[in-house]
Amino acid sequence: NSKDFNMNDTTESGLAVRIHHTMLPVADIDRSIKFYTTLLGMNLRFRRKSEARMTEQAHVGYGDGAIRSSIELTQNIGERAPEQVTPTSGHIGIDVTDIRRLCSILEQAGVTFRRPPTPNSRPGARNLTAHILDPDGHDVELIERHDD
């Protein structure tokens, strides 16, 4: 039942759908949890270890996990676990209310910026965006929206 999950988007066949999570590989799950919860204000929804899969996973996100998407942080815990992971080629987008204030906090915390707060390049757009790197080099886009 789509009401049970607050899923308002439907397919042509009438099935309710939503994005549940996206996965990011991480080299140090504790470091990544701290980054996403302390600096970006997400909640740690749960954490689990799978000896069978040789992984540890944590889901972080905003709001109620039953209706809001999360980021699944996954660390390989096998004996051949890499000390570094290859960053994804995409990015995660996060809406913020005051991008300059958040970027100041992130800068003081030593976060690497790919691009400081910059007006959107579309003609007439008033949104501001910045790109930062998480501890594993994954690109995180911060967006302060002013366009309707």
Side-chain angles (χ1 to χ4, degrees):
N1 185 340
S2 65
K3 275 185 142 177
D4 294 341
F5 295 101
N6 263 349
M7 297 190 298
N8 297 323
D9 294 324
T10 56
T11 63
E12 287 184 23
S13 62
L15 297 171
V17 295
R18 71 180 174 103
I19 295 173
H20 182 266
H21 69 272
T22 189
M23 188 278 284
L24 292 178
V26 300
D28 180 336
I29 201 162
D30 292 318
R31 178 183 68 183
S32 295
I33 290 170
K34 183 177 179 183
F35 175 84
Y36 283 100
T37 59
T38 304
L39 294 176
L40 295 180
M42 293 184 184
N43 301 311
L44 175 60
R45 296 205 179 132
F46 67 86
R47 183 176 181 166
R48 68 177 168 228
K49 190 179 283 189
S50 171
E51 298 295 338
R53 293 183 180 165
M54 300 303 294
T55 61
E56 185 167 358
Q57 300 160 331
H59 277 245
V60 295
Y62 299 109
D64 183 352
I67 59 173
R68 307 275 308 265
S69 301
S70 66
I71 299 171
E72 177 186 82
L73 306 169
T74 301
Q75 178 181 350
N76 180 335
I77 58 171
E79 61 183 59
R80 291 188 172 178
E83 290 185 22
Q84 294 182 351
V85 296
T86 302
T88 60
S89 59
H91 69 272
I92 297 167
I94 298 175
D95 286 331
V96 302
T97 56
D98 187 339
I99 197 168
R100 287 187 174 91
R101 183 169 163 224
L102 177 58
C103 286
S104 175
I105 292 166
L106 296 173
E107 192 171 34
Q108 289 174 12
V111 172
T112 300
F113 281 76
R114 281 195 51 236
R115 190 176 77 210
T118 308
N120 189 296
S121 60
R122 285 183 293 120
R126 299 177 303 150
N127 295 341
L128 296 174
T129 61
H131 284 261
I132 61 172
L133 298 178
D134 82 354
D136 291 288
H138 301 297
D139 187 349
V140 178
E141 179 182 19
L142 306 174
I143 309 149
E144 182 181 308
R145 297 190 183 278
H146 297 282
D147 297 341
D148 295 329

